[in-house]
Amino acid sequence: MDVLTQPVLVLNATYVPVAIRTVKDAVILLVLRKAELIKDEKGLFIRSEKLKFTTPRIILLTDYYKVPKRKHKLSRENIFLRDDHECVYCKRKLPSSRLTLDHVIPKSRWEEIPREKKPKDYHTWENLVTACRDCNTRKGNKLLQELKWEIPENRSTNKRRFPQFSVSTQLVEKFGWADYIRT
């Protein structure tokens, strides 16, 4: 991988992660004095005719940058994040590889539920939950009341907290960002 395209963690003036940019972008921000170097890779250099830099890994913006509220895209990983990688039925925390998505109201039963008792659509934040494979298999196409199961009401995106900024554990470990990012 070209050094200039490697990732650099960008922190706002209050040390909150706000972005991941390339080494090239980070060097430009450093040269323009719009950022300060927080962490670099000592043995890896970027050279030009007149300048020599160690490769930045973490930079701090000199001006405050407000972290914008993010509208989270409906995706498998975002459902897992919302539910904290926990099966909503048995409450076991598991890695993503051992989790599935479950439609609370199965597609095969969608039409028999009155409109006022179901979300506006089948594939929505309100109808999707994190489930372990065992619970999802046991549930099948049954409704929760048929199984006498309940799930917490606070699972919608408006009520459950998302991390403002998430990065893979591999990147955090590889580039030494652990002091600034919780995985």
Side-chain angles (χ1 to χ4, degrees):
M1 176 187 274
D2 179 22
V3 172
L4 293 176
T5 62
Q6 290 182 356
V8 175
L9 180 63
V10 180
L11 308 174
N12 73 7
T14 59
Y15 289 81
V16 173
V18 292
I20 294 177
R21 302 296 295 264
T22 64
V23 168
K24 180 182 176 183
D25 291 342
V27 168
I28 290 168
L29 289 169
L30 291 166
V31 168
L32 295 173
R33 291 192 164 85
K34 293 187 176 209
E36 298 172 14
L37 183 66
I38 297 295
K39 184 175 184 171
D40 60 357
E41 195 161 316
K42 300 283 184 227
L44 192 57
F45 294 96
I46 301 160
R47 293 181 172 94
S48 75
E49 190 176 307
K50 296 180 181 179
L51 299 170
K52 179 179 173 183
F53 283 97
T54 54
T55 303
R57 291 297 173 211
I58 303 173
I59 61 172
L60 177 73
L61 297 175
T62 54
D63 290 327
Y64 179 77
Y65 174 80
K66 187 176 181 202
V67 181
K69 292 265 189 232
R70 293 193 172 123
K71 183 170 178 162
H72 296 281
K73 183 178 147 194
L74 180 62
S75 69
R76 175 184 184 85
E77 193 54 41
N78 280 342
I79 296 288
F80 292 168
L81 282 171
R82 180 198 67 191
D83 295 338
D84 201 21
H85 287 80
E86 178 181 280
C87 173
V88 297
Y89 303 124
C90 69
K91 307 292 184 244
R92 284 189 301 164
K93 272 194 175 218
L94 297 165
S96 297
S97 61
R98 300 201 39 221
L99 294 171
T100 63
L101 288 182
D102 179 51
H103 288 85
V104 178
I105 302 171
K107 192 167 197 166
S108 63
R109 308 287 298 272
W110 188 256
E111 293 306 318
E112 64 188 76
I113 307 296
R115 180 184 295 172
E116 64 276 358
K117 293 197 180 218
K118 64 185 178 186
K120 64 180 181 224
D121 195 14
Y122 167 71
H123 201 70
T124 60
W125 287 101
E126 296 78 21
N127 197 43
L128 284 165
V129 294
T130 301
C132 69
R133 293 171 195 227
D134 293 339
C135 288
N136 204 349
T137 301
R138 217 172 306 135
K139 181 177 174 285
N141 76 334
K142 296 179 182 75
L143 300 173
L144 296 181
Q145 57 267 33
E146 294 170 346
L147 296 164
K148 296 183 174 50
W149 286 5
E150 291 184 9
I151 54 175
E153 287 302 314
N154 66 344
R155 72 183 194 290
S156 77
T157 56
N158 298 330
K159 297 175 186 169
R160 283 299 278 269
R161 289 191 33 157
F162 279 90
Q164 259 312 323
F165 194 84
S166 62
V167 179
S168 75
T169 305
Q170 291 87 350
L171 279 179
V172 170
E173 290 171 3
K174 183 175 181 177
F175 296 111
W177 301 341
D179 291 342
Y180 300 95
I181 293 183
R182 288 182 285 158
T183 55

